[in-house]
């Protein structure tokens, strides 16, 4: 899609709180009268990837005024990622740090830990590989008591099964580097905090509310992706009720 058309699209729809697929189709047909439904789907996909539009709900969009959240990648995170990349070629995984919550919460966490989610069939093998390094305290899907007693430092790694089709993003280790790390999207982070009060026990109650509020205000959220993932975690109705209760005015068009 040309820059000119993208600019015209922004000018046309920036004053509207939302617009639907049919309105977008009518707009784009001005520039391509032969456009098909299939071509429209590809155009929408491209616009979403470029963060020019954002998805409010299925088939409904708005012009995106917010940026995509990409967490900071520390040297320690890079070092951790190399173990799974070297030992388990092409393994689907998701690596993250609870230090990232400090971007959103009211109280800053002085200690944090790493979370590595991998395909269920490889959980024990990955656990053993990281344990053998002897550089970290490694915990395999720990319960509440272990989380609160022992998982409290930046040398702690929690290994958990990765839920299939979890929302992830591949981020370059360094600018223009071909080496990438598989990290969670913001949608996944929010849903996981809401669904897993054991692993994320430090970010519950008012802290979770603050986390959600700051994420919703500062960054682009793909709500279709977010709710689809919550559905896979069997928590979609509960998440929608939570957001409606705490952020109903902000999200009234999304939660209808």
């Amino acid at each position: 899609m040309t820059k000119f058309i993208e600019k015209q699209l922004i000018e046309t729809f920036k004053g509207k709180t939302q617009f639907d697929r049919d309105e977008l189709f009518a707009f784009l047909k001005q520039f391509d009268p032969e456009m098909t439904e299939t071509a429209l789907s590809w155009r929408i996909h491209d616009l979403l990837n470029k963060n020019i539009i954002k998805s409010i709900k299925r088939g409904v969009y708005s012009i995106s005024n917010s940026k995509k959240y990409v967490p900071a990648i520390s040297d320690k995170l890079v070092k951790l990622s190399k173990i799974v990349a070297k030992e388990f070629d092409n393994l689907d995984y998701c690596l993250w740090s609870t230090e990232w919550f400090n971007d959103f919460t009211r109280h800053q966490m002085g200690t944090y830990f790493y979370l590595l989610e991998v395909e269920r069939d490889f959980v024990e093998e990955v656990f053993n590989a990281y344990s053998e390094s002897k550089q970290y305290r490694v915990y395999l899907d720990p319960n509440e008591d272990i989380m609160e007693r022992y998982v409290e430092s930046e040398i702690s790694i929690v290994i958990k099964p990765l839920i299939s089709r979890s929302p992830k993003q591949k981020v370059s280790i360094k600018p223009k580097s071909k080496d990438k790390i598989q990290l969670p999207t913001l949608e996944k982070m929010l849903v996981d905090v809401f669904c897993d009060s054991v692993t994320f026990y430090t970010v519950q109650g008012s802290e979770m509310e603050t986390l959600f509020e700051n994420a919703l205000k500062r960054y682009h959220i793909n709500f279709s992706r977010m709710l689809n993932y919550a559905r896979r975690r069997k928590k979609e109705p509960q998440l929608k009720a939570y957001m409606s209760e705490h952020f109903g005015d902000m999200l009234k068009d999304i939660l209808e």
Side-chain angles (χ1 to χ4, degrees):
M1 186 179 296
T2 67
K3 295 290 184 183
F4 172 76
I5 296 175
E6 291 171 358
K7 184 176 180 180
Q8 291 297 112
L9 186 149
I10 293 170
E11 289 298 316
T12 300
F13 292 109
K14 68 179 181 181
K16 303 188 67 173
T17 56
Q18 63 183 52
F19 50 91
D20 60 26
R21 184 183 176 93
D22 290 340
E23 291 176 279
L24 189 55
F25 194 24
F27 169 82
L28 292 173
K29 279 183 74 80
Q30 298 176 74
F31 304 93
D32 182 5
E34 304 300 319
M35 176 172 284
T36 63
E37 280 290 333
T38 300
L40 174 64
S41 295
W42 280 107
R43 291 291 181 98
I44 290 174
H45 178 74
D46 184 55
L47 289 166
L48 289 169
N49 280 344
K50 291 179 177 177
N51 198 28
I52 293 172
I53 64 174
K54 61 182 179 180
S55 175
I56 293 179
K57 54 186 177 182
R58 187 175 180 83
V60 180
Y61 311 94
S62 69
I63 297 299
S64 180
N65 297 312
S66 53
K67 57 185 178 180
K68 177 182 178 182
Y69 177 68
V70 180
I73 300 176
S74 66
D75 291 340
K76 288 183 180 179
L77 198 75
V78 172
K79 188 176 180 180
L80 281 175
S81 72
K82 289 182 177 178
I83 297 176
V84 69
K86 180 181 179 181
E87 300 291 334
F88 303 92
D89 189 34
N90 295 322
L91 180 68
D92 194 17
Y93 74 90
C94 186
L95 178 63
W96 44 315
S97 168
T98 57
E99 185 180 21
W100 298 339
F101 292 138
N102 286 337
D103 293 340
F104 306 96
T105 54
R106 180 179 294 109
H107 299 101
Q108 300 291 285
M109 291 184 289
T111 59
Y112 57 92
F113 62 89
Y114 295 99
L115 179 65
L116 175 60
E117 299 168 276
V118 300
E119 297 172 45
R120 186 173 297 276
D121 292 342
F122 291 87
V123 167
E124 289 196 15
E125 289 183 54
V126 171
F127 170 76
N128 292 333
Y130 277 84
S131 297
E132 287 171 5
S133 73
K134 302 189 183 303
Q135 299 179 56
Y136 312 99
R137 298 174 184 169
V138 189
Y139 303 89
L140 180 57
D141 204 5
N143 60 28
E144 184 174 4
D145 183 59
I146 292 176
M147 283 298 308
E148 295 186 12
R149 284 175 177 268
Y150 305 111
V151 184
E152 58 180 9
S153 77
E154 59 270 22
I155 61 171
S156 296
I157 307 171
V158 171
I159 311 288
K160 293 176 68 71
L162 177 66
I163 295 174
S164 61
R165 300 203 295 276
S166 290
K168 305 191 304 299
Q169 54 184 323
K170 291 184 178 181
V171 179
S172 297
I173 292 175
K174 296 179 180 179
K176 298 182 180 180
S177 171
K178 292 182 179 180
D179 295 327
K180 298 180 183 294
I181 302 180
Q182 297 183 45
L183 309 178
T185 64
L186 184 53
E187 293 87 355
K188 174 173 167 57
M189 292 171 63
L190 293 173
V191 172
D192 285 347
V193 167
F194 179 79
C195 294
D196 188 352
S197 60
V198 173
T199 304
F200 305 107
Y201 71 95
T202 60
V203 198
Q204 298 298 307
S206 61
E207 284 290 17
M208 182 166 68
E209 186 176 341
T210 301
L211 186 155
F212 267 77
E213 181 178 2
N214 287 328
L216 293 171
K217 285 181 177 179
R218 298 176 189 170
Y219 295 99
H220 168 62
I221 304 290
N222 184 323
F223 288 96
S224 294
R225 175 192 294 163
M226 184 178 182
L227 294 174
N228 283 339
Y229 180 55
R231 189 178 308 128
R232 294 192 62 74
R233 297 212 59 163
K234 297 180 170 55
K235 291 285 186 178
E236 182 188 14
Q238 295 90 327
L239 179 61
K240 291 179 75 172
Y242 176 82
M243 292 195 295
S244 179
E245 177 184 355
H246 294 282
F247 314 107
D249 291 340
M250 190 188 308
L251 304 177
K252 59 184 178 180
D253 292 329
I254 298 164
L255 300 174
E256 288 177 350

